[in-house]
């Protein structure tokens, strides 16, 4: 393998590993193309730590030269035991764990550090671990993913008279980030769709994402229209939306930008659906943070959680200043608004921001969780994520390239998916019996999105995943999570299905810091996990007795 | 009754604090003990009862078109916002309530007129429910190191101390009396908690009257005696819970703190907990934040930070941890004091006891602890809780802070406490309600004079009778979290805002489903099943009876989980109600469409949709519209439409 050229030192003995919640341990360190492996030297208690290099967000190294050998080192190659030099590598992971390695020998330390730096930043999908990961109980012959647009459409019989499955994008020529098949209004032809696509950023023309069985109303999503400064119109776009109306008196467009931002977007060729051209659609603007600002918010929050000063005022001010909880509040209340339009007001809604790949997906997902009981089971939730994030073209590769610790210059990173998981956690806190999955699932997904054995979150869209062979040569996380043992672990023992909508409270008092994630590696979180275990045991014991 | 100017007002509106447009219309009654609001709505007998003793402030606001608003703040953090049709009526209610909520004498308090259907014998037994001597003997006292001293039998030495006090075996009456003369209000060092395992003790007192240089031989001997009662230790801590500056300021008034040079083998330590005035203001600020109508996240967090409330809670907990660790880990005795030794000292000693002793984390244990460290040692409940009209500067939420510290610990150790949050909230409420005699008066002497245990009922036995409501289903006496010393983290991120207490009555803010209630139901069910299983096995031989049991078991296995699925029965509506998603935090809300008339929508849909649609939709749709009309996401206050051509041009 070509990885070997990045590995100058593959094994080091007598390394001390310090990790949260464990006493320091001494053992052997081993670097492979994708992993860092540490095995405890102590007899009997052979503990191993296996860490995906991809999980490492940033490293800090410091070497120390205890004795005056420095002159010798530069010339001689045998720097091993005799030297008094040593080094320390601090590894900050994307799952927010911080590990430290004390490595004897300066050169070995630098070699290891170099390997980690290089190998953790591989960015070609086929080089990544999912292409090598072959668990015995999964087969590559299996269908990749839980479902497909075709299947989804065929299962939704009730929409067939008004909606059709279009394969206008089968070669990705209409929209690069859409899957080959999408659901569109029945009487809108493929030629029309092509024209609409030209009027929408990135070709993301309006498609169906949710059908509300109770009243036949729908949620659609797209990217922003492109009227630009000249206020161009696109008859086909207007007709498509009119076709959705289907006799209803009006519909809503939820724009995830402020009206100011939407206006400004005209200057760069974008814009919004003006009232004069889309007379039966009412626009609602909700400013949601995106992109770099969101990434910076995450960085600030993680920094605040690591603050050791133990000063209450400082903590509260940093928490406030990070704005993370504000973003949670905005996301949940915008999703609430969307769900209200559909469920309470009984109208269809089109959601978009600018690109339609981030905040758009965030609120359409949350609204579905609020309204649709089918999305709240373990299977239903994973299918929802697959549909609304993986297939819908959230650019995971770009968004999750780095997390909160990285010193690399930010490019396309943005923790939108993490924000979603946090919002779902808030829902779970407020409705602890209404969701079929546990906090553990959310934590697992938060880790997997950044570093994974599975191919699910590789690449930026369907087209890339197919061309790079992800769907053929990697395993799908969602399927793995539904294996019996995993299914058991990730289920909510208290789950009680309810047909009712679950409207979250968005008062600041009702929203909390997601300690399970942001303070995951502290002792306090362990106590809470113990309580969850206790709950599981109680329910199991009760279940056994009730059955007997 | 002479204080009630107006016993009944009709057509009063009670506004919902969170969404003021949601209001209820009904009749307001003033009785000798309660304010009662009865909703008019047919069929629902929705009543709101508020003790006069719980009323903290009443405030009349400017008259509006719809009437005269009257705002009532309660000590249990309920806020009632009435609108009374006529100003004169509002004024009369205000005057009446102001008088009723501030009794001038103890005799007016509700506890003296509260007469539940309990016979006298039983009432007397209520007061025997807790026995402090039993708790001391649980701790192994008296023993060869600590003795019960009769010195304060008639409250002669310290009129704010209890009659029964434990002192070191070697402390003679002259030493005690001498020491008491050198301490504020005669509150000499005496035992609060004793560790059987290592003989380390927590003692408490008030500040010494040391001024700039005064000494007192007996006081020095007293501390020496405390030190000697811990044979394995060669020094002790003296913890002054005040900020150093405050303690130094006290020296000018002839008070102050111990000089390490004068006392042998003490280690002196300041722990800066602020005084009652700072705490009162801090809570006031925090409550103002809780009351903001639709604060943004930043408003809330900034307000919380500025109130300093969590900083104070952390300070109390930090102090408790310091003492608990000294006792449990170092085996060193600690003397704790502040100024008078009845506020911060009570907080810190009781927090330390909760950390040290698993017993105080049980239902009965917490009651004993409050009885001991707070009631018997003379926390001035009448003054601090403002039971009677008095000096507003004496009021301070010191005991609330203790209860909150316990709550913060419960949040960190979900399996370590036998009781639940409801237990703490109920205690908090009754500390102020004056329904029971426990928290009346400022010290034991006053309580004896008032003959409270002859004339009133005790909260403790009431709580014990209803203990099923207060059990934490996750509590395991044998759980690793439960054992020995609790070691909480006091990293700031471990402290949470206590929504359950301070926003207790804003039900929209709380989780809509309760894990705890669910687990309690399961626990009860499991117990029943276990019992049945046991008797099942017993009687399995007897064919006849077996038949009988089978039917019982079958009944129970169809246990229906769903009633517990939603927090409380009457919350079902609420659970399915959207929140106010527009809030105040969204800066721009252009082109908000006008909310259509409810009936209009239905009409339109009736015309255009199939009948099947209506069938499937019916009632839900209706309630949705009723709801929409009183909230704003799609409502009438639409602002500037950026869509209009002018706006577009100006931007271009």
């Amino acid at each position: 393998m070509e990885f070997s050229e990045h590995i100058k030192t593959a094994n080091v003995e007598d390394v001390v590993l310090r990790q949260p919640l464990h006493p320091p341990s001494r053992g052997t360190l081993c670097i492979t193309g994708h992993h860092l492996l540490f095995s405890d030297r102590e007899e009997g208690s052979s503990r191993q730590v296996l860490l995906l290099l991809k999980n490492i967000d940033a490293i800090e190294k410091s070497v120390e030269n205890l004795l005056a050998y420095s002159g010798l080192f530069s010339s001689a190659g045998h720097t091993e035991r005799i030297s008094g030099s040593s080094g320390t590598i601090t590894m900050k992971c994307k799952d927010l764990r911080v590990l430290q390695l004390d490595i004897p020998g300066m050169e070995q330390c630098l070699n290891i550090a170099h390997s980690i730096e290089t190998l953790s930043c591989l960015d070609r999908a086929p080089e990544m671990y999912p292409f090598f990961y072959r668990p015995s109980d999964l087969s590559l012959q299996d269908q990749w993913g839980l479902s497909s647009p075709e299947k989804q459409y065929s299962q939704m019989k009730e929409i067939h008279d008004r909606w059709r499955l279009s394969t206008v994008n089968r070669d990705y020529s209409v929209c690069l980030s859409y899957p080959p098949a999408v659901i569109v209004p029945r009487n809108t032809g493929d030629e029309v769709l092509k024209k609409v696509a030209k009027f929408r950023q990135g070709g993301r023309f309006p498609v169906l994402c949710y059908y509300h069985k109770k009243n036949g109303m729908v949620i659609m999503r797209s990217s922003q229209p492109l009227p630009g400064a000249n206020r161009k119109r696109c008859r086909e776009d207007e007709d498509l939306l009119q076709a959705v109306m289907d006799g209803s008196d009006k519909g809503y467009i939820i724009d995830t930008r402020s009206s100011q931002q939407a206006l400004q977007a005209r200057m760069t060729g974008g814009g919004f659906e003006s009232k004069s051209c889309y007379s039966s659609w009412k626009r609602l603007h909700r400013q949601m943070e995106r992109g770099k600002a969101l990434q910076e918010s995450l960085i600030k929050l993680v920094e605040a959680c690591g603050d050791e000063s133990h000063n209450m005022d400082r903590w509260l001010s940093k928490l406030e200043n990070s704005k993370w909880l504000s973003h949670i509040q905005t996301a949940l209340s915008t999703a609430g608004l969307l769900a209200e339009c559909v469920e309470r007001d009984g109208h269809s809604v089109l959601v978009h921001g600018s690109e339609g790949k981030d905040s758009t997906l965030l609120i359409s997902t949350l609204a579905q969780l609020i309204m649709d009981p089918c999305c709240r089971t373990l299977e239903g939730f994973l299918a929802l994520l697959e549909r609304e994030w993986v297939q819908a073209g959230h650019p995971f590769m770009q968004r999750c390239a780095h997390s909160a610790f990285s010193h690399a210059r930010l490019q396309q990173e943005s923790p939108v998916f993490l924000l979603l998981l946090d919002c779902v956690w808030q829902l779970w806190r407020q409705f602890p019996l209404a969701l079929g999955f546990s906090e553990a699932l959310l934590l697992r997904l938060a880790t997997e999105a950044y570093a994974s054995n599975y191919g699910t979150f590789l690449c930026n869209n369907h087209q890339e995943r197919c061309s790079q062979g992800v769907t053929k040569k990697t395993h799908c996380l969602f399927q793995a999570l539904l294996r019996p043992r995993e299914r058991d672990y990730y289920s909510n023992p208290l789950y009680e299905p309810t047909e009712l909508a679950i409207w979250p409270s968005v008062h600041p008092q009702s929203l909390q810091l997601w300690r399970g994630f942001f303070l995951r590696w502290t002792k306090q979180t362990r106590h809470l996990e113990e309580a969850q275990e206790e709950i599981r045991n109680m329910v199991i014991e009760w279940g056994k007795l009730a059955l007997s | 009754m002479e204080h009630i100017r107006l016993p009944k007002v009709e057509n009063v509106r009670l506004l919902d604090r969170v969404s003021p447009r949601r209001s209820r219309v009904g009749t307001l009654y003033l009785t000798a003990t309660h304010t009662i609001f009865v909703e008019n709505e047919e069929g629902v007998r929705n009543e709101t009862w508020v003790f006069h003793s719980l009323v903290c402030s009443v405030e009349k606001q400017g008259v509006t078109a719809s009437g005269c608003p009257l705002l009532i703040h309660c000590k249990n953090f309920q806020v009632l916002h009435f609108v009374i049709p006529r100003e004169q009526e509002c004024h009369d209610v205000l005057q009446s309530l102001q008088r009723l909520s501030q009794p001038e004498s103890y005799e007016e308090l509700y506890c003296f007129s509260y007469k539940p259907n309990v016979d006298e014998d039983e009432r007397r037994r209520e007061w025997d429910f807790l026995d402090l001597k039993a708790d001391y003997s649980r701790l192994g006292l008296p023993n060869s190191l600590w003795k019960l001293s009769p010195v304060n039998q008639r409250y002669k030495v310290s009129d704010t101390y209890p009659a029964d006090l434990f002192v070191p075996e070697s402390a003679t009456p002259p030493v005690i009396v001498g020491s008491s003369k050198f301490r504020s209000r005669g509150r000499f060092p005496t035992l609060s908690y004793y560790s059987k395992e290592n003989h380390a003790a927590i003692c408490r007192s008030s500040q010494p009257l040391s001024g700039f240089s005064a000494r007192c031989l007996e006081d020095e001997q007293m501390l020496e005696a405390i030190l000697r009662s811990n044979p394995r230790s060669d020094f002790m801590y003296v913890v002054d819970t005040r900020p150093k500056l405050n303690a130094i300021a006290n020296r000018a008034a002839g008070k102050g703190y111990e000089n390490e040079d004068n006392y042998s083998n003490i280690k002196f330590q300041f722990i800066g907990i602020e005084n009652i005035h700072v705490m009162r203001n801090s809570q006031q600020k925090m409550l103002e934040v809780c009351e903001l109508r639709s604060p943004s996240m930043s408003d809330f967090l900034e307000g919380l930070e500025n109130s300093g409330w969590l900083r104070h809670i952390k300070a109390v907990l930090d102090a408790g941890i310091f003492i608990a660790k000294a006792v449990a880990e170092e085996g060193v005795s600690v003397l704790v004091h502040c100024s008078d030794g009845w506020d911060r000292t009570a907080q810190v000693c009781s927090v330390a006891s909760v950390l040290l002793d698993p017993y105080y984390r049980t239902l009965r244990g917490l009651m004993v602890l409050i009885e001991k460290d707070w009631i018997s040692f003379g926390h001035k409940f009448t003054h601090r809780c403002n039971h009677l009209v008095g000096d507003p500067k004496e009021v301070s939420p010191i005991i609330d802070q203790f209860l909150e510290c316990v709550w913060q610990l419960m949040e960190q150790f979900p399996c370590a406490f036998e009781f639940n949050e409801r237990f703490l909230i109920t205690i908090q409420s009754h500390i102020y309600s004056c329904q029971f005699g426990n928290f009346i008066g400022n010290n034991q002497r006053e309580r004896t004079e008032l003959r409270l245990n002859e004339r009133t009922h005790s909260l403790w036995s009431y709580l014990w009778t209803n203990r099923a409501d207060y059990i934490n289903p996750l509590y395991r006496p044998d759980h690793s979290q439960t054992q020995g010393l609790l070691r909480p983290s006091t990293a700031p991120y471990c402290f949470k805002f206590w929504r359950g207490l301070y926003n207790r009555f804003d039900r929209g803010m709380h989780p809509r489903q309760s894990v705890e209630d669910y687990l309690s139901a399961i626990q009860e069910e499991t117990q029943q099943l276990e019992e049945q299983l046991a008797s099942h096995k017993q009687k399995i031989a007897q064919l006849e009876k077996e038949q009988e049991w089978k039917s019982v078991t079958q009944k129970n296995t169809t246990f229906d989980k769903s009633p517990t699925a939603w927090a409380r029965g009457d919350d079902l509506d609420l659970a399915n109600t959207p929140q106010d998603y527009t809030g105040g935090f969204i800066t721009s809300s252009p082109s908000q469409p006008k909310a259509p008339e409810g009936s209009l929508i239905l009409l339109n849909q009736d015309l255009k949709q199939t009948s099947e649609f209506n069938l499937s939709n019916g009632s839900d749709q209706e309630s949705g519209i009723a709801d929409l009309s009183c909230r704003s996401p799609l409502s009438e206050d639409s602002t500037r439409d950026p869509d209009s051509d002018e706006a577009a041009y100006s931007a271009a």
Side-chain angles (χ1 to χ4, degrees), chain A residues 231 275 283 317 320 323 340 344 430-431 433 504 507 509-510 515 524 527 530 534 542 546, chain B residues 18 298 305 311 476 481 489 493 503 509 512-513 525 530 557 576 579 581 591 631 641 643 648:
Chain A
R231 314 241 206 114
K275 206 183 230 170
R283 263 189 0 265
S317 123
E320 190 278 311
K323 297 283 181 233
E340 244 185 302
R344 292 286 170 138
Q430 297 190 22
F431 297 91
L433 317 183
H507 296 285
Q509 287 98 317
S510 308
R515 286 175 173 71
Q524 286 63 53
H527 293 147
E530 283 169 12
E534 206 60 61
W542 169 78
Chain B
V18 177
S298 296
E305 181 197 337
R311 173 160 43 89
R476 299 277 174 281
Q481 281 183 19
S489 161
Y493 53 68
N503 282 111
M509 290 184 192
R512 300 326 149 72
Q513 300 176 316
E525 176 71 10
E530 270 169 355
T557 44
N576 198 23
Q579 302 291 301
Y581 294 115
S591 63
R631 275 166 318 91
D641 186 1
D643 216 13

Side-chain angles (χ1 to χ4, degrees), chain A residues 231 266 272-276 283, chain B residues 591 641-645 647-648:
Chain A
R231 314 241 206 114
R266 276 187 174 170
F272 52 89
E273 295 83 353
S274 68
K275 206 183 230 170
S276 49
R283 263 189 0 265
Chain B
S591 63
D641 186 1
D643 216 13
S644 66
D645 289 347

Side-chain angles (χ1 to χ4, degrees), chain B residues 171-334:
Chain B
T172 59
V175 167
I176 296 172
V177 173
S179 165
S180 81
K181 293 205 167 112
F182 191 62
R183 297 271 168 183
S184 282
R185 303 297 302 262
R187 294 170 69 92
F188 59 88
T190 176
L191 185 101
S192 163
Y193 179 79
Y194 168 77
S195 163
K196 257 195 299 212
E197 286 80 32
N198 59 13
H199 306 300
I202 302 176
C203 296
R204 54 185 289 174
S205 69
S206 59
Q207 64 186 338
L209 305 175
S210 50
F212 290 101
S213 60
R215 294 181 61 165
C216 169
L217 189 62
E218 290 91 342
D219 195 60
E220 289 161 25
Q221 286 171 339
M222 187 70 187
L223 263 66
E224 180 77 39
I226 292 173
L227 177 58
R228 256 185 276 133
S229 283
N230 184 2
R232 281 185 235 162
S233 172
D234 51 9
F235 75 97
M236 67 183 281
Y237 288 109
V238 175
V239 172
D240 190 327
T241 54
R242 298 169 292 184
K244 188 170 180 183
L245 218 62
N246 300 20
I248 291 174
N250 263 299
R251 276 164 58 171
K255 301 164 187 173
Y257 53 92
E258 292 81 356
N259 183 339
E260 270 184 335
D261 300 337
N262 299 342
Y263 294 84
S264 48
N265 303 317
I266 66 162
K267 279 192 185 169
F268 187 83
Q269 182 89 31
F270 282 114
I271 295 184
I273 301 176
E274 298 291 348
N275 65 25
I276 57 167
H277 312 295
V278 175
M279 299 307 191
R280 178 179 58 243
N281 293 334
S282 170
Q283 192 191 44
Q284 196 48 49
K285 279 191 195 158
M286 178 195 56
L287 292 175
E288 278 162 21
V289 176
C290 296
E291 272 181 59
L292 292 177
R293 198 148 278 160
S294 48
S296 70
M297 192 46 95
S298 296
D299 294 340
F300 177 75
L301 290 174
E302 268 169 24
L304 190 61
E305 181 197 337
N306 290 335
S307 77
W309 183 256
L310 287 177
R311 173 160 43 89
H312 300 313
I313 297 293
K314 176 171 151 59
V316 174
L317 197 55
D318 274 326
I321 291 171
F322 174 84
I323 292 161
K325 280 191 171 164
V327 169
E329 290 177 351
E330 297 182 65
V332 174
S333 294
V334 186

Side-chain angles (χ1 to χ4, degrees), chain B residues 605-618:
Chain B
Q605 286 172 346
D606 278 345
L607 289 172
K608 286 167 187 164
Q609 305 285 335
T610 62
S611 57
E612 189 189 63
F613 170 87
N614 283 319
L615 266 177
S616 65
N617 219 15

Side-chain angles (χ1 to χ4, degrees), chain B residues 377-449:
Chain B
F377 273 108
H379 177 68
K380 303 201 293 174
F381 281 103
T382 295
H383 288 165
R384 297 290 178 259
C385 306
N386 211 13
H387 289 332
L388 302 178
V389 59
D391 183 359
K393 288 217 164 69
E394 282 283 321
V395 180
S396 192
I398 301 302
I399 181 117
D400 293 5
Q401 290 184 317
F402 164 66
L403 294 173
E404 177 164 343
C405 284
V406 176
W407 179 80
Q408 299 283 359
L409 291 171
M410 286 161 66
E411 287 292 294
Q412 281 199 38
F413 301 94
C415 305
F417 290 81
E418 189 191 21
F419 46 82
N420 57 18
E421 181 184 22
R422 202 176 298 148
F423 185 60
L424 298 180
I425 291 175
T426 308
I427 292 177
Q428 194 275 344
S429 189
H430 282 301
I431 285 173
Y432 293 90
S433 75
C434 297
Q435 182 176 354
F436 297 96
N438 306 64
F439 307 101
I440 309 301
N442 288 317
N443 50 55
Q444 202 176 69
R445 186 179 49 84
E446 277 186 30
R447 270 187 293 277
T448 315
E449 281 165 11

